[in-house]
Amino acid sequence: MNFSNDKAIYVQMADRLCDDIIAGTYKADDRIPSVREYAVMLEVNTNTAVKAYDLLAREEIIYNKRGLGYFVSEGAKEQIIASRKKSFLEQSLPEFFRQMKLLDIDIKEIDSEWEKASAQGTKSE
């Protein structure tokens, strides 16, 4: 995994696990890779993976069954989507609109690009 400099690595790892949950790779009550397995998979220190799992456990996205590992919580997918939507609408979208104004981009141009991207997404599915 390529990590960016805009967020802590453990947060990016947690985000990746959330992406997998949203995509359906892991469903409610599915076991996820162990902390060590995930650290090896992403080539990071085990302590960094522990921080990612602790973050997700605090947010009740995953839970620990002692001796068995970590599992996806019931309703985790919906919780992640709701949280990300809120963040997008409150943080990303206002910045997006600001850039549109600065660059004089009309909503019709955005609609056109959305149509192109939607058509490409349909072809690859």
Side-chain angles (χ1 to χ4, degrees):
M1 178 173 176
N2 294 326
F3 296 103
S4 65
N5 292 326
D6 64 337
K7 285 185 190 176
I9 291 174
Y10 77 94
V11 174
Q12 293 176 65
M13 292 174 68
D15 286 347
R16 179 177 167 168
L17 268 172
C18 287
D19 290 348
D20 288 342
I21 292 168
I22 292 172
T25 304
Y26 305 112
K27 295 175 180 35
D29 295 315
D30 280 356
R31 185 181 177 282
I32 61 173
S34 72
V35 170
R36 285 194 181 112
E37 289 169 339
Y38 205 55
V40 168
M41 188 185 323
L42 299 182
E43 299 176 352
V44 299
N45 185 293
T46 304
N47 292 332
T48 305
V50 167
K51 287 175 76 172
Y53 279 48
D54 284 347
L55 173 63
L56 293 173
R58 279 194 313 274
E59 293 177 355
E60 299 181 350
I61 302 295
I62 61 174
Y63 63 94
N64 188 6
K65 284 187 184 177
R66 192 171 182 94
L68 296 176
Y70 283 93
F71 295 79
V72 177
S73 298
E74 190 70 39
K77 179 178 180 177
E78 294 78 12
Q79 181 183 341
I80 295 164
I81 290 171
S83 174
R84 287 188 176 182
K85 276 185 182 180
K86 183 177 190 250
S87 176
F88 177 79
L89 292 172
E90 292 176 358
Q91 297 170 7
S92 302
L93 200 54
E95 174 58 21
F96 180 77
F97 288 151
R98 188 181 79 77
Q99 289 295 323
M100 283 179 65
K101 286 180 186 176
L102 282 173
L103 301 172
D104 194 29
I105 297 173
D106 187 82
I107 195 68
K108 291 176 187 167
E109 292 176 75
I110 300 299
D111 279 340
S112 173
E113 292 300 317
W114 174 257
E115 291 299 321
K116 287 180 200 172
S118 295
Q120 288 175 349
T122 304
K123 290 176 187 173
S124 65
E125 291 174 359

